Amino acid sequence: MRFDMSTDGLLAQRMARLKSSAIRELLKHSKMDGVISLAGGIPSDALFDFQGLNEATQLAITEQPKSAFQYGLTEGSPLLRERIAELCALRGVHTQAQDIVVTAGSQQALDLVMRATTNPQDIFVVERPTYLAALQTLELAEAQVMSVSSDENGMVVDELAALLETTRIKGVYLVPNFGNPSGVTLSDARRRQLVALAARHDFLIVEDDPYGELRFTEERHATLYQLAKEAGHADRVVYTSSFSKILAPGLRLGWAILPDWLLHKVAIIKQAADLHASSLSQTIVEYYLGTGRLPAQIDKIRQAYRQKGELLSELMASELGDVLSFNQPKGGMFLWARFRQPFDTTAWLQKTLAQGVVFVPGEFFFADNPDQSTLRLSFATATEEQMHEAVARLRRAL
Amino acid sequence: MRFDMSTDGLLAQRMARLKSSAIRELLKHSKMDGVISLAGGIPSDALFDFQGLNEATQLAITEQPKSAFQYGLTEGSPLLRERIAELCALRGVHTQAQDIVVTAGSQQALDLVMRATTNPQDIFVVERPTYLAALQTLELAEAQVMSVSSDENGMVVDELAALLETTRIKGVYLVPNFGNPSGVTLSDARRRQLVALAARHDFLIVEDDPYGELRFTEERHATLYQLAKEAGHADRVVYTSSFSKILAPGLRLGWAILPDWLLHKVAIIKQAADLHASSLSQTIVEYYLGTGRLPAQIDKIRQAYRQKGELLSELMASELGDVLSFNQPKGGMFLWARFRQPFDTTAWLQKTLAQGVVFVPGEFFFADNPDQSTLRLSFATATEEQMHEAVARLRRAL
């Protein structure tokens, strides 16, 4: 066998460095009998709107069977793009259907944008910590990844500003609302500062917003997209989002709002990548959005996750508050914690697994300088009873 | 606007060269009122098994709603991979579920394989003519594309052998059965010769087989995959196929059979590209394959395309046989024709459009040295009446 890592697939070599296979191995444990998983990044299917999905599916396959099962347009169905534009407007993101490309989840939007914009060695800046699978798309694009800190107000934009004094960058990737894994939200002041920097230093902001609707309070922030648009340079922001966390991930549908200079490139690459997103999924979501059920469904998810997030926060504070610090989640699906003393959470995972509970060690979410004393806990899928037990097991594993 | 083609996205620049946007523009014409399209590469939705698809969809959303709407495994659902292995066995392709990755159509399989194997400037060899969207994946992977001729017996493997005397290549991409656009099938002798060359010269064969089941005669050929396996080097062949031409392209489901050294790399890249194929589509196809309806459905498509292919051949021979030559299709969806005298089919397209009929000019299917006197006609979607009229219009446009 002469095909091997040394001669074949530099990209694949870069991927291997990311330890994503380690994560995959880890998550297999979460399926073991009796193990409670706080590791997964998946939404709770106990909350899915099966009735609404069922009705929308019936409509799709009886009213529009040809569109649902035939090839479609690469950019996505015109009606779905209209409906997504309406959905975005409710979020304060004012765009047009023609600026939207429907993708296979926001994951594909990230991969396409990185492929379309990034040449080898171009610098992309991410938060520390950041979304693992975004790092994977950057690695595949052979970007040079740099990182800046985040705190309870999100990315520390002053650090980025300092970096920009000496370094030309291609773009910044961030999750400004209830980030994965950190759970934090970027403050208004930092949003404005970041948008101004993008204009001054000519870089692209990739605003990844899968969790923005899952807020537990009434606190809302303008999107980077909208702020940039109002400042006259919307061409500096790509906004991506997804139906995965608010409706159903198995449909594999997300979208990107793209500036003119980028949309056509992304469409050409998407055509080569998979032609277009599932026509059936698109037709179902067209009907689902047409029923007007989504706002109530989002409310339901928001209430449920808020309760779970509060419970996990209480349990963590009472059981582990002496050894760990964390910010109480204000939205999303994740609680990010940090041991007060130097600690190796990856090593600890073996002990917690022996007790029957798993999480994701924080080091996987760092592009560089991993903080090994951190960990990510998801509160989306465990029941309240499981959460009590899980935290007790974490305590016993200390 | 400082982001532009000169500084941004070398890959996108390469794509632009491929004129895929020209094709996209062209195909828009095929939707115009009164225009008969022989241009599309799409299957006939008049033949779709809507009853079977409807039943399978009902089962998916009532029996397995959680799997259908939740995240799934990157490689694909275990049951679907089993069913695909069974389907492959009926084609004489003997493999195991664990060697299969489910993809978003075979298009994604090609993109993933090129990304996983090909470094910039690696040489990939294709047929002349070849499948346009495969060229796109090779361009995105920054491969250097070389081509060898094809004739009525498919790729001229002797030409490849001569090339290999002086040139080290990474792989060969081909559609050995009823190729798009050429319609030709690789002979048994050339299949064995190609497999032997891959072993001797250490390159990868990407065997793209979306049309193999759509044969109009009883003539069958062993797959390159199976020949290589029997010769003890299956690790030299990737076999890709799709449900798009035999069931429904809107589901966006295909698959790749991958050697061990490549499967894990492909899975890692797929995880970054879109996490996994639509769970809903996968669950529907699991049920559909479980009903046992597929063989009859394939027979139905085969009969219908055979009749249409024969009709188009007769019409072309009688109306245009004096100016064009072509091989009568023995399967698939395409008739590939060539003017007997030097001719520019791209220029001619404007005239045929004025008469109300469109096709795809052949030059788009060449990696290099385009033969401008060629054209591709699809017989999959036009009715018999439309085909009579379309050929009459082509005649009038001369």
Side-chain angles (χ1 to χ4, degrees), chain B residues 254-323:
Chain B
W255 68 92
I257 304 175
L258 296 157
D260 284 346
W261 63 269
L262 185 53
L263 190 139
H264 183 61
K265 293 183 197 182
V266 163
I268 288 175
I269 296 174
K270 180 160 173 62
Q271 191 181 29
D274 64 359
L275 302 180
H276 60 82
S278 160
S279 306
L280 178 59
S281 291
Q282 292 187 73
T283 312
I284 290 170
V285 175
E286 282 169 20
Y287 278 107
Y288 188 87
L289 295 177
T291 64
R293 296 173 71 106
L294 187 65
Q297 173 61 14
I298 290 172
D299 269 343
K300 179 180 162 189
I301 297 169
R302 194 185 280 152
Q303 300 305 333
Y305 286 1
R306 181 172 57 74
Q307 284 179 24
K308 286 162 177 258
E310 286 174 357
L311 175 62
L312 184 60
S313 298
E314 285 163 22
L315 293 168
M316 290 292 284
S318 63
E319 294 292 311
L320 293 158
D322 52 335
V323 294

Side-chain angles (χ1 to χ4, degrees), chain A residues 109-181:
Chain A
L110 301 181
D111 188 44
L112 294 174
V113 167
M114 300 315 177
R115 291 176 88 174
T117 61
T118 306
N119 295 317
Q121 299 313 310
D122 280 351
I123 296 172
F124 241 88
V125 176
V126 302
E127 299 164 278
R128 196 165 55 237
T130 191
Y131 173 49
L132 174 67
L135 285 180
Q136 292 172 328
T137 66
L138 287 166
E139 285 285 329
L140 279 174
E142 299 183 64
Q144 184 183 341
V145 179
M146 301 185 79
S147 66
V148 299
S149 308
S150 67
D151 60 22
E152 68 279 11
N153 291 312
M155 175 179 270
V156 179
V157 181
D158 278 342
E159 253 187 57
L160 175 67
L163 175 70
L164 289 166
E165 292 305 312
T166 58
T167 309
R168 171 113 178 93
I169 71 169
K170 177 56 69 86
V172 168
Y173 167 82
L174 78 173
V175 181
N177 297 317
F178 321 122
N180 176 3

Side-chain angles (χ1 to χ4, degrees), chain A residues 55 79 94 117 136 175 177 217 240 243 245 271 285 315 317:
Chain A
E55 287 172 15
L79 176 59
H94 298 288
T117 61
Q136 292 172 328
V175 181
N177 297 317
T217 71
T240 63
F243 290 104
K245 306 305 187 294
Q271 191 181 29
V285 175
L315 293 167

